[in-house]
Amino acid sequence: MSLAILVTFLLGIGNFALHKAVMESGHPLLGRMPWFYHALNGNFSLVVEFLMLLAALLFVAQDYFAAAVAYIVYSMLNSFSAWLILTGRL
């Protein structure tokens, strides 16, 4: 269980780093985001990211292994989309 918590936490750190890099990239796609994305000076999305990580960690701590798998899949999709945006392929 502690390994699953550690992996989830490390993936969360990676997700935060990618999220911040995308937000600072100045990509034109960010201008098309809804108004709530820009709430709290653009930090609303980071709050949502934190809540997702917190929920995943709480579920994993309760031995709900599917939450770890779901967060891994989410992290893979997040990494792929950040790669597309940061490399200019999108």
Side-chain angles (χ1 to χ4, degrees):
M1 178 176 77
S2 59
L3 180 62
I5 291 173
L6 178 65
V7 169
T8 304
F9 180 73
L10 293 175
L11 286 173
I13 291 172
N15 284 335
F16 271 101
L18 287 172
H19 194 108
K20 189 69 171 171
V22 167
M23 286 175 43
E24 293 177 353
S25 71
H27 195 276
L29 186 63
L30 297 174
R32 298 183 191 169
M33 298 302 289
W35 65 269
F36 57 82
Y37 178 82
H38 302 288
L40 301 173
N41 294 330
N43 292 328
F44 179 75
S45 59
L46 288 174
V47 171
V48 172
E49 187 80 42
F50 170 74
L51 292 175
M52 290 176 58
L53 174 60
L54 180 64
L57 285 170
L58 289 173
F59 278 122
V60 170
Q62 295 297 320
D63 292 332
Y64 191 63
F65 184 70
V69 173
Y71 199 75
I72 289 170
V73 170
Y74 165 74
S75 297
M76 290 171 50
L77 293 172
N78 191 32
S79 300
F80 180 67
S81 62
W83 175 74
L84 287 175
I85 291 171
L86 295 173
T87 59
R89 299 184 196 289
L90 181 66

